[in-house]
Amino acid sequence: MKRKDLQHLKIDSTLFGIQSSSPVTTTIEDIVIQQTDRTEDNLALEDFHYAAGFAPYVRGISPTLYVQQPWQSNQVPQSSSLEKCNQIYRNQIQQGQTEIMLISNPSQEQNAIHSIEEMKVLLNQLPLHEIAVSLYTDESILPLLACYLAAAEELGFEGKSLSGHVQYDLLLTVLTSNGLYTLETAHRIVADLNEYMHQNHPKFNAISLSNKVFQSLNLTADQELAYSLAHGIDQIKAISTPVLSIDYLATHLSFAWSADFHHFTTIAKMRAARGIWAKLLKALNVKNEQALALSIRTQTLPIPLDPNEALEALGPATIEATAAIFGGTQALHLQLPPTPSIGLTAGQMQRFLVEELKSCKTVDPWAGSYYVEKLTLDIANKTWETLQEIERTGGIQPILNQLIQTQIAKQLAEEPKPSPVALAVDPIPSRQTQEVEKALFKLSKGVQTPGENVLALAIEAVKARATLREIHQALLR
């Protein structure tokens, strides 16, 4: 049923014993409810109280949400053996999973991918043309994505058949490089990445928003949302072209959401984020209403516990996971301390949330809750005020540059951390040192050369058997 067929319907509040003319009303059960004065709402978003599946999607981007299809459960194999990880992925797919999550940070041993040969071991016999692959890293997404695409090609998969998501925080790479990796370089890479993926892998969602850095700075909820969304709009406007339209970019975007231990605030933030995102995009004259729908893919916060205490992480992770579900996430990954059995435990928790919590029996279960609705609208209004202030003071770029400089100065003022020990990497067969050096040099120069596509150059370097670490270092030169 279309929105125009429903919008004339009105609910008679007197059926519930509520007299809307009074600022304080009482239900038939003698429960006192404080009414809100909606005439002063800054957003004037009557749509904030509309159904799921309709813009601005406050209640969810699908009219049935999880009733027909639960959120995507993403569990990363907890094993240092790539062969075992591959087997776990194959088991997940055989059990009906349609998406796998691939997390790799070369500085960490667990689940680390160093080269195309290791990636091919991980992807061996996986039906990549039938499933989606979600790629996540705390470093530059470019080396990992290039390695995945090159490995899939060598395994015989056609580029246009590949689908998935890239999840990354553009600012995190800038901050962790101590200024070597600039915001300008990061934006250039995002532009090249989306141009290449549009031409060669159109099923991939290649642009990502993130709240991870902003959340780590202990900002208020409205600042966290305003900075994240303003940065996202800034990226879209910067890289849009007649070919890469705003409609296309918006429908190939996802929000890599870092969960919050504050349960109801997380729910309200997710609902408010969708509403404001739709309002911001509508101002850019998008033609496809589906482009207004903000897809959110959630990770719970990592919990620094000893592997022997891993089960103690289930409590906090459950609070964060249920908040993400009630907030309407499209995918959920539980970050639990790595132990041999924790992957099974995380999978059991996901099944518990579906089957025992009955979380797929309703759409937006907190809809109508006075507290959650009021909290959603309050956060939305404050976020909108912050966005207007950002616009008045010159946009998000000066704020981000100041934030980066402040954080880098803090890092330099701290005692230097010991350099991570270089992990041993097995020799790569057929590696030609001269070819690798040539490809890395072209990549390093390409970052500074307009017209060169850095993702295409990174794929060439991967095929020459350069490691992900070498590609990452080439971006910092």
Side-chain angles (χ1 to χ4, degrees), residues 42-210:
N42 297 330
L43 289 175
L45 281 179
E46 66 277 3
D47 284 336
F48 258 53
H49 300 277
Y50 205 71
F54 296 90
Y57 304 102
V58 174
R59 303 199 188 286
I61 66 174
S62 166
T64 57
L65 200 61
Y66 309 133
V67 175
Q68 291 185 329
Q69 181 65 47
W71 63 90
Q72 179 59 51
S73 172
N74 287 332
Q75 297 307 318
V76 179
Q78 299 292 340
S79 174
S80 58
S81 166
L82 296 175
E83 290 81 4
K84 289 182 179 179
C85 289
N86 170 264
Q87 185 60 57
I88 293 172
Y89 281 138
R90 288 159 64 183
N91 291 341
Q92 291 175 349
I93 294 168
Q94 288 176 359
Q95 293 169 10
Q97 192 155 317
T98 58
E99 177 178 314
I100 62 172
M101 189 168 191
L102 198 161
I103 295 180
S104 179
N105 292 316
S107 59
Q108 300 176 5
E109 183 178 356
Q110 196 78 24
N111 302 116
I113 299 294
H114 302 99
S115 68
I116 186 173
E117 298 300 340
E118 292 184 347
M119 180 68 80
K120 287 165 69 175
V121 171
L122 187 63
L123 301 179
N124 183 39
Q125 298 185 46
L126 299 186
L128 300 181
H129 59 299
E130 298 176 358
I131 63 171
V133 177
S134 187
L135 305 171
Y136 180 88
T137 180
D138 280 343
E139 298 186 334
S140 171
I141 191 66
L142 190 76
L144 181 61
L145 179 60
C147 189
Y148 171 75
L149 296 177
E153 181 182 335
E154 292 195 4
L155 289 172
F157 292 97
E158 182 184 355
K160 295 188 185 304
S161 71
L162 301 177
S163 64
H165 310 265
V166 292
Q167 299 180 61
Y168 57 92
D169 191 322
L170 183 151
L171 289 179
L172 189 61
T173 309
V174 177
L175 292 175
T176 55
S177 69
N178 288 330
L180 295 176
Y181 191 91
T182 66
L183 191 58
E184 291 73 17
T185 298
H187 282 150
R188 161 70 190 285
I189 289 174
V190 169
D192 284 6
L193 187 152
N194 279 274
E195 179 184 348
Y196 184 92
M197 298 301 282
H198 171 69
Q199 294 176 354
N200 301 281
H201 308 281
K203 293 183 180 180
F204 243 91
N205 294 339
I207 188 168
S208 180
L209 306 187
S210 177

